[in-house]
Amino acid sequence: MLRTARGAIITSTLSTLVVIGGIVAAFVLAPGSRQVRSVYFDVHDMWQAFLGDPHAGFYSVGKGLVINIEMFMIGEVLILGLALVIALIRLSRSPLLFPLRMIAVAYVDFFRGVPLILVILAIGFGLPALYLPFVSSQSAFVYGVLALVLSYSAYVSEVYRAGFNSVPHSQVASARSLGLRPRTAMRYVVLPQAVRTIIPPLLNTFVSLQKDTALVAVLGAVIEANRAAEIYSSTVFNYSGYTVAAILFLLLTIPLARFTDHLIARDRARRLAGVP
Amino acid sequence: MSLREVLPVVRAQTAGTALRIEGVHKSFGQNHVLKGIDLAVDTHQVICLIGASGSGKSTLLRCVDLLETIDAGRIVFFGHDITHPDVDEILVRRQIGMVFQSFNLFPHLRVLRNITLAPVKALGVPVAEAEEEAMSLLRRFGLADKARDYPDRLSGGQQQRVAIIRALAIHPRLMLLDEVTSALDPELVGEVLDVIRELALAGMTMVLATHEMGFAREIATRVVFLEDGVIVEEGPPVQLFDTPRDVRTRRFLGRVLEAGRM
Ligand SMILES: Nc1ncnc2c1ncn2[C@@H]1O[C@H](COP(=O)(O)OP(=O)(O)OP(=O)(O)O)[C@@H](O)[C@H]1O
Ligand SMILES: [Mg+2]
């Protein structure tokens, strides 16, 4: 038993070293390696880009990331709310809500089908061009968040819907037979059972939302990490700023990804043990 | 012995008609499941619905609990037409306890919470009071030590007894039981039937769909035989089981006898 366990650890360590070593060797020994390293991985440039220097005309990628985090946090809350509304409309049975249901279906189809970057461009440049009061006079930050919310709500509403549909109809029937009002049955019977199905895919979606905040860079006016890196590279003609941005995004998304895996594993263990 | 001494949750009821089903029809698409059902149930009566699979027993019970909308006819519950469009069906369901073949306990709630959910959230009973009554019902049926467990830790028989207690906790005036022992291992059937027996003894008005002919014979005030969505024959158990009048009833009972369920 011990022998094989130890053997497995040694094997996996060796194979990891071989694979990583191979990748590093290919990178270092490649003909253009020096060039790439100085353009993408220059330590001095990376540090410069991270800190930023307003006098030299470029912004801090590190500070830019704070804006990404802001967009993520605000967007996340709005997405959770809007997606829930869309999902509940789609799940409703009332004939009165038929037109709303059609709109919700069209909404989800549309925003799941259109690439996010096009939504950001359409909202960020389209709304201001309309010269409407209020709607056209918001900051690029607001348009960026709005685009993220519109697009991601479509995905997240589907995550909710799958979760609600995973609760057997017999659960609803017994809640109804006890005289619970639909809202009470939803709150105490359906929702708590649906949440368990919803959480893992929801967190996965948020991992990708975290990095997609970088797409708001196309609006130019929001100096988030990606845009700061872009400005740096066009000022100094060195791409190391992008590398910094990539590293920062990884630092942001990896913990959430690991947390998601942890929840999935724990839920699986509980299911196998038969404890809710 | 007074009824309420036996089981305090059973409401004292004056003699009279509890339920009157009049000319009820129900279709699912092209499938005409109930084809004009007439049935009257007096308070304290125990009515057993028997019939082959697909004859419409479950559908009839679900219609009475307003879980299905009927296509024609009406259902009168203690003098009120509960199938009238203006009726608040939620208020009706709060007076009817329904127990399903597959228990349908809420898996995310402990046994005690399963029982108190409806009294607290639907009827507005204070939590402490609801829990006290739930505990006394659990004790009454030998399940007090399961109060803090999740349903999937219980055997099928225990789960079904909890489901009956959960339905009782809303103090229903009528209990509908849909083949509540069909999903159980044979050795667990008895403990559930014991509970129903006690309810009958306490005077609970009940309509139950069942495949347990022996039990129906023992407990029923009247047995109702359904086939293809119509009531073929009804009568006291002795008459219906021993001297069935209709050829279809005889054929059905013959098959049941062959299958060794009697
Ligand atoms: N929700 C539904 N949608 C469509 N058809 C249904 C539905 N519920 C029941 N039926 C149909 O109605 C018919 C009667 O079913 P029902 O469940 O009432 O029979 P039953 O007498 O309870 O049978 P069993 O002894 O198997 O429980 C069946 O043909 C069934 O397929
Ligand atoms: Mg049935």
Side-chain angles (χ1 to χ4, degrees):
Chain A
M1 223 24 220
L2 192 69
R3 265 179 76 97
T4 54
R6 191 180 295 160
I9 290 172
I10 291 171
T11 313
S12 62
T13 309
L14 277 179
S15 73
T16 308
L17 284 177
V18 168
V19 170
I20 292 182
I23 293 171
V24 170
F27 178 71
V28 173
L29 298 175
S33 175
R34 274 179 62 93
Q35 181 82 10
V36 167
R37 270 184 289 160
S38 72
V39 175
Y40 285 93
F41 294 94
D42 184 279
V43 174
H44 174 72
D45 277 299
M46 285 168 71
W47 187 242
Q48 283 282 307
F50 179 69
L51 292 179
D53 184 353
H55 300 300
F58 53 85
Y59 300 87
S60 157
V61 174
K63 279 199 188 134
L65 191 79
V66 175
I67 298 185
N68 292 90
I69 295 175
E70 276 172 24
M71 287 195 283
F72 171 72
M73 302 276 246
I74 298 170
E76 178 188 329
V77 173
L78 296 175
I79 290 163
L80 284 172
L82 178 59
L84 183 62
V85 172
I86 297 168
L88 290 178
I89 289 174
R90 288 196 70 176
L91 288 165
S92 68
R93 292 271 155 272
S94 154
L96 207 67
L97 293 181
F98 181 77
L100 271 182
R101 267 201 298 280
M102 292 316 295
I103 293 172
V105 171
Y107 177 95
V108 172
D109 284 353
F110 182 83
F111 281 104
R112 281 203 307 175
V114 177
L116 175 56
I117 194 146
L118 297 185
V119 178
I120 294 173
L121 288 170
I123 301 275
F125 293 129
L127 291 187
L130 290 175
Y131 293 107
L132 288 167
F134 186 72
V135 173
S136 300
S137 55
Q138 299 300 316
S139 69
F141 179 90
V142 170
Y143 292 132
V145 171
L146 179 63
L148 289 169
V149 168
L150 288 176
S151 183
Y152 267 82
S153 293
Y155 291 99
V156 172
S157 77
E158 288 299 280
V159 170
Y160 278 131
R161 215 159 61 93
F164 287 128
N165 284 333
S166 74
V167 179
H169 192 75
S170 57
Q171 286 287 308
V172 181
S174 56
R176 288 170 77 202
S177 81
L178 287 166
L180 295 174
R181 294 206 174 271
R183 223 179 323 137
T184 320
M186 181 52 99
R187 164 79 182 76
Y188 293 100
V189 176
V190 179
L191 204 58
Q193 295 187 66
V195 160
R196 175 191 256 187
T197 326
I198 289 171
I199 297 274
L202 194 62
L203 291 179
N204 268 326
T205 315
F206 283 154
V207 171
S208 96
L209 173 65
Q210 275 183 335
K211 66 183 166 61
D212 277 355
T213 56
L215 293 176
V216 174
V218 298
L219 296 183
V222 185
I223 314 297
E224 48 72 64
N226 187 21
R227 178 69 182 134
E230 190 181 358
I231 293 170
Y232 183 84
S233 75
S234 58
T235 315
V236 185
F237 301 107
N238 182 294
Y239 291 130
S240 299
Y242 283 118
T243 309
V244 175
I247 292 171
L248 292 179
F249 275 110
L250 282 173
L251 289 178
L252 206 59
T253 52
I254 287 178
L256 184 54
R258 286 285 77 76
F259 178 64
T260 308
D261 286 352
H262 165 74
L263 283 187
I264 293 172
R266 196 183 63 178
D267 186 50
R268 194 178 129 75
R270 285 188 177 181
R271 262 177 227 249
L272 291 180
V275 181
Chain B
M1 183 164 44
S2 109
L3 301 171
R4 299 180 66 79
E5 267 168 49
V6 181
L7 252 187
V9 291
V10 177
R11 296 185 185 207
Q13 291 178 337
T14 45
T17 309
L19 181 70
R20 204 167 54 247
I21 299 168
E22 297 173 359
V24 164
H25 285 259
K26 173 70 189 172
S27 300
F28 295 106
Q30 296 297 308
N31 188 2
H32 198 171
V33 177
L34 300 180
K35 303 168 183 164
I37 299 284
D38 294 287
L39 182 68
V41 181
D42 287 345
T43 50
H44 308 311
Q45 282 192 333
V46 177
I47 305 299
C48 286
L49 300 177
I50 62 170
S53 187
S55 55
K57 305 181 295 292
S58 298
T59 305
L60 182 59
L61 294 180
R62 293 172 61 85
C63 286
V64 173
D65 203 22
L66 305 185
L67 293 174
E68 305 285 356
T69 327
I70 61 173
D71 301 328
R74 56 181 207 144
I75 299 175
V76 183
F77 182 65
F78 288 94
H80 300 284
D81 178 0
I82 57 173
T83 44
H84 191 278
D86 292 345
V87 165
D88 183 352
E89 45 190 46
I90 288 160
L91 295 182
V92 175
R93 291 196 202 106
R94 287 178 185 170
Q95 305 186 44
I96 298 177
M98 178 128 185
V99 185
F100 302 87
Q101 179 173 343
S102 48
F103 329 141
N104 302 356
L105 292 179
F106 305 130
H108 61 296
L109 299 179
R110 293 172 201 274
V111 163
L112 190 66
R113 271 284 272 163
N114 258 279
I115 301 170
T116 58
L117 182 68
V120 172
K121 300 297 174 195
L123 307 178
V125 177
V127 175
E129 194 179 310
E131 289 190 348
E132 197 177 316
E133 184 179 275
M135 281 312 298
S136 84
L137 281 165
L138 284 168
R139 270 194 297 275
R140 184 77 186 72
F141 295 113
L143 291 163
D145 58 326
K146 304 293 178 198
R148 306 255 152 232
D149 285 345
Y150 284 100
D152 63 1
R153 282 294 156 105
L154 274 56
S155 73
Q158 290 167 337
Q159 288 190 50
Q160 191 59 295
R161 279 144 67 201
V162 171
I164 295 175
I165 294 172
R166 181 177 69 174
L168 275 177
I170 60 172
H171 295 210
R173 305 170 87 177
L174 170 70
M175 286 279 280
L176 306 172
L177 299 102
D178 190 4
E179 291 189 37
V180 294
T181 58
S182 295
L184 297 177
D185 291 337
E187 73 271 19
L188 301 177
V189 169
E191 63 190 64
V192 173
L193 295 186
D194 283 344
V195 173
I196 302 172
R197 228 172 247 127
E198 281 200 49
L199 292 183
L201 198 68
M204 179 60 82
T205 311
M206 290 189 281
V207 180
L208 38 122
T210 184
H211 285 155
E212 302 281 339
M213 299 303 159
F215 184 65
R217 176 193 283 270
E218 169 200 331
I219 199 171
T221 324
R222 253 176 327 130
V223 179
V224 174
F225 171 59
L226 248 86
E227 188 169 281
D228 282 334
V230 295
I231 293 180
V232 171
E233 183 169 353
E234 62 173 297
V238 175
Q239 182 262 307
L240 192 123
F241 286 124
D242 295 342
T243 54
R245 294 196 199 94
D246 198 286
V247 59
R248 288 170 290 180
T249 318
R250 278 199 290 274
R251 202 169 48 210
F252 172 74
L253 291 174
R255 276 203 303 272
V256 170
L257 200 61
E258 261 173 51
R261 298 194 76 138
M262 217 164 150

